[in-house]
Amino acid sequence: MAAIVTAEGLHKSFARRGSTSPPVLDGLDLELEEGAVLALLGPNGAGKTTTVRILSTLLRPDAGRATVAGFDVVRDARRVREIISLTGQQVAVDGKQTGAENLTMMGHLAHLPRRVVRDRVAELLTAFDLADAASRRVDTYSGGMRRRLDLAAGLLTRPRIMFLDEPTTGLDPRSRQALWDVVRAVVDEGTSVFLTTQYLEEADRLAQRVALVDGGRVAAEGTPAQLKRQVGEAGVELTFVSPADAGRVAPVLTAATVTAATVDGARVRVPTDGSVAHVRSVLSVVEATGVVPEHWEVRAPTLDDVFLALTGHVGQDRPARSAEVAA
Amino acid sequence: MTYLLRDVSTMTVRGLRLVSRDVDAIITAVLLPVIILLMFVLVFGGAVDIGTDYINYVTPGVILLAAGFGAANTALAVERDMSSGMVERLRSMPVTAWTVLSGHVAASLVKNLVTTAVVFGVSILMGFRPEATPLEWLAAVGMILLFVGWITWLAALVGVLVRSPDAAGGFSFFVMFLPYVSSAFVPVDTLPSWLRGFAEHQPVTPVIETVRSLLAGDVATVADPGGVAALAIIWCLGLGLLFAVSAGLAFRARR
């Protein structure tokens, strides 16, 4: 499959001359395959929004090159705008217009024939479960409904590439789930999706490929499974009442199994292939020690673990860079 | 080009919807001007002696003052679009995104047309007796719209430049101040001389004098090529062009 979005060596800085603040993008490379979903995953200030703004022609990179469907995002910005849609972090619909009016307006601005606008608006309102609310003002919508309407506004033209900048930030779990369903349906129709998110789960659920961004560059890239494999296999994790208990059990486990048990405070972790037989043998060894764990689970590595392993810090905890907030 | 017109009309329809569904905007566009008219005529009118019925004198001034209030609404609406993501979305589409500004300005013109009609209506009920022919009426309304035009483009510029709704709202102080220091409510020669200089050389005074002359059926004053009407038109077109271009440039520059 061919790449539909490419970025090579993107640099962008919002620092004023003489300021020492680091650039927002510092040589970012990435690729999105046609028909796929790429998630740009990273903490606030990592450069996700700036990347989306450059790829969607809103911002020029200081250096580097980006193309969308073969068109350069700076030189052929107009061509790019004809085939993309951008749904930004903020919901861009008018509270004082109804759902149908908002969509119709966007359809006209996209220069679709009136008839097409009418049919497409009705179609999308139904698909996004907003048909009943179509003639109500958006002021009266819930957050999830607004987000869905916002997404629908981006789909009137059947874009080839859809940019979604943190689409589920601030949504409750049910609305988030509904939005994921919508994104999957869009992908099924052939649209490629470029998604940014702070939520590891979201990237895991939606994207075929995940790029971890940190400090303005891609720290790691691959399928969610590949990234997790870089961190290691699944493990049986046992949490004890005290580190002393954990210290007593760990050597016994190491002696009884081939691989070493690791201790982290009151927690002991033993790598496992996840089979019933292996997990049972681990638990038998623990039972034989007579020390009772408070809690245990078989845990596959999460993207959180990946993040920690590859960047040295956990996703959400990084302070935002003032430059990106201001931008 | 055809798309440009279509985009502007789409955004105008939107602007009118936003205005007509905004209680604040309706109050400032309709109720407030009427209250101000009543206040000037009933409260101050008895104390002001200018040799003619004060209502004949003050009605055009109230309409221009209302244009100032309405402009503050436009600045707010533009600021909201800039900060809400609406402009961001339009910029990622193949539309000339500043049509969003033209839409607000066009909506403001229509809104002020309604204000003008309401104020004239109430004023006539209260005893205002214009002597204008239909053509002179048309010219008077045209003059008012030219004035509304430049003040709205200024409002659009303010809306693009400011970074908060409060700042956009504060703009109304400035535009409200202009009609007070003009011949809108009192003859300029009653002002202290240092203020008179300002009042005589700011755009509101020639616009007011032109509208007043047209409504009084005094075509001679208006037709004079070196007179107030020519001055008023030059002021309005000049400022309108200046602020429209500035607003467009500021819009492009703000990322």
Side-chain angles (χ1 to χ4, degrees):
Chain A
M1 279 263 225
I4 193 159
V5 177
T6 67
E8 290 165 32
L10 291 184
H11 280 83
K12 183 76 196 178
S13 171
F14 295 110
R16 282 165 217 275
R17 222 170 300 166
S19 146
T20 53
S21 68
V24 175
L25 294 186
D26 190 16
L28 181 129
D29 303 302
L30 51 79
E31 247 180 38
L32 164 63
E33 306 258 289
E34 174 131 43
V37 179
L38 172 70
L40 212 55
L41 177 66
N44 280 332
K48 302 187 300 292
T49 296
T50 304
T51 306
V52 166
R53 287 169 54 95
I54 288 174
L55 294 175
S56 59
T57 77
L58 298 181
L59 205 64
R60 284 160 176 260
D62 295 338
R65 195 178 115 84
T67 65
V68 171
F71 298 116
D72 187 284
V73 295
V74 176
R75 272 182 293 119
D76 307 317
R78 215 178 161 82
R79 304 293 294 275
V80 171
R81 288 177 194 147
E82 281 167 9
I83 51 173
I84 66 165
S85 90
L86 167 67
T87 303
Q89 271 179 45
Q90 288 169 299
V91 173
V93 289
D94 288 323
K96 289 204 161 52
Q97 294 201 79
T98 68
E101 285 168 348
N102 266 297
L103 291 187
T104 305
M105 174 180 90
M106 285 299 167
H108 289 156
L109 290 176
H111 306 143
L112 298 171
R114 279 176 193 283
R115 240 203 133 114
V116 175
V117 171
R118 202 170 350 129
D119 296 348
R120 189 82 181 122
V121 166
E123 194 182 316
L124 284 167
L125 284 169
T126 308
F128 284 62
D129 199 19
L130 290 168
D132 292 339
S135 52
R136 259 168 50 200
R137 285 194 204 172
V138 173
D139 276 339
T140 66
Y141 283 22
S142 70
M145 291 166 79
R146 278 179 212 214
R147 253 302 169 201
R148 295 208 299 276
L149 184 68
D150 197 38
L151 273 188
L155 288 168
L156 285 156
T157 53
R158 301 179 192 275
R160 279 179 69 192
I161 306 110
M162 192 170 194
F163 291 95
L164 299 175
D165 192 7
E166 300 198 9
T168 64
T169 300
L171 289 189
D172 61 71
R174 232 188 77 212
S175 304
R176 178 168 302 161
Q177 191 69 51
L179 203 122
W180 288 344
D181 291 342
V182 166
V183 173
R184 285 192 195 104
V186 168
V187 175
D188 285 344
E189 286 197 10
T191 298
S192 314
V193 173
F194 189 105
L195 169 86
T196 77
T197 182
Q198 303 190 40
Y199 302 115
L200 303 149
E201 188 195 358
E202 185 159 278
D204 206 2
R205 295 279 192 94
L206 283 179
Q208 282 84 41
R209 296 194 79 82
V210 176
L212 288 184
V213 226
D214 188 50
R217 34 176 62 208
V218 173
E221 203 265 342
T223 65
Q226 278 172 349
L227 289 178
K228 287 181 205 166
R229 229 172 289 140
Q230 290 190 26
V231 179
E233 319 128 89
V236 180
E237 274 188 19
L238 302 127
T239 309
F240 294 92
V241 182
S242 68
D245 281 358
R248 253 190 295 155
V249 174
V252 183
L253 269 172
T254 306
T257 59
V258 190
T259 46
T262 51
V263 186
D264 175 18
R267 201 158 29 168
V268 174
R269 187 172 196 276
V270 186
T272 177
D273 59 4
S275 68
V276 174
H278 186 257
V279 173
R280 185 168 51 201
S281 72
V282 170
L283 293 178
S284 304
V285 173
V286 175
E287 197 175 18
T289 64
V291 185
V292 182
E294 208 172 44
H295 171 82
W296 70 272
E297 64 181 330
V298 176
R299 209 162 80 89
T302 63
L303 282 169
D304 266 318
D305 300 326
V306 178
F307 217 96
L308 189 63
L310 294 173
T311 68
H313 55 84
V314 177
Q316 269 89 333
D317 289 341
R318 203 144 163 269
R321 271 191 200 153
S322 56
E324 182 161 27
V325 173
Chain B
M1 194 62 204
T2 48
Y3 280 146
L4 191 66
L5 288 178
R6 205 180 134 183
D7 292 347
V8 171
S9 89
T10 302
M11 292 316 279
T12 305
V13 170
R14 165 186 183 249
L16 284 172
R17 268 190 204 136
L18 299 188
V19 166
S20 65
R21 292 174 189 179
D22 179 354
V23 179
D24 279 357
I26 292 172
I27 288 174
T28 37
V30 179
L31 210 56
L32 198 60
V34 170
I35 291 170
I36 288 171
L37 178 71
L38 294 177
M39 193 183 74
F40 270 106
V41 174
L42 301 178
V43 180
F44 300 141
V48 182
D49 183 10
I50 45 161
T52 157
D53 272 350
Y54 190 56
I55 194 162
N56 288 345
Y57 187 83
V58 84
T59 299
V62 171
I63 289 170
L64 296 202
L65 190 63
F69 294 139
N73 266 316
T74 302
L76 269 171
V78 171
E79 192 280 332
R80 199 176 303 129
D81 277 354
M82 299 298 293
S83 63
S84 72
M86 181 57 80
V87 165
E88 196 93 311
R89 160 162 275 156
L90 293 177
R91 276 186 165 145
S92 74
M93 295 170 69
V95 292
T96 313
W98 61 258
T99 51
V100 68
L101 300 184
S102 316
H104 283 301
V105 172
S108 159
L109 289 175
V110 175
K111 179 181 72 178
N112 276 283
L113 213 51
V114 173
T115 306
T116 304
V118 169
V119 173
F120 274 135
V122 173
S123 182
I124 287 167
L125 285 179
M126 290 173 67
F128 177 40
R129 290 293 169 261
E131 286 159 34
T133 64
L135 209 62
E136 285 156 359
W137 266 109
L138 212 62
V141 172
M143 185 74 253
I144 289 167
L145 287 185
L146 268 181
F147 179 83
V148 171
W150 83 256
I151 218 164
T152 311
W153 273 114
L154 172 60
L157 173 64
V158 169
V160 172
L161 290 178
V162 298
R163 303 270 163 155
S164 78
D166 290 343
F171 161 72
S172 62
F173 270 119
F174 167 73
V175 287
M176 260 174 58
F177 168 79
L178 273 186
Y180 285 115
V181 192
S182 79
S183 65
F185 303 114
V186 290
V188 176
D189 51 26
T190 64
L191 299 173
S193 59
W194 58 275
L195 256 185
R196 198 183 308 154
F198 176 77
E200 280 171 349
H201 298 96
Q202 64 122 319
V204 178
T205 298
V207 171
I208 286 281
E209 295 304 331
T210 303
V211 173
R212 230 175 241 148
S213 304
L214 284 166
L215 294 179
D218 177 7
V219 189
T221 310
V222 177
D224 177 4
V228 282
L231 191 62
I233 291 170
I234 290 169
W235 263 119
C236 292
L237 287 182
L239 291 175
L241 201 66
L242 174 72
F243 293 130
V245 171
S246 314
L249 291 177
F251 184 89
R252 286 180 59 150
R254 186 171 160 187
R255 296 257 137 162

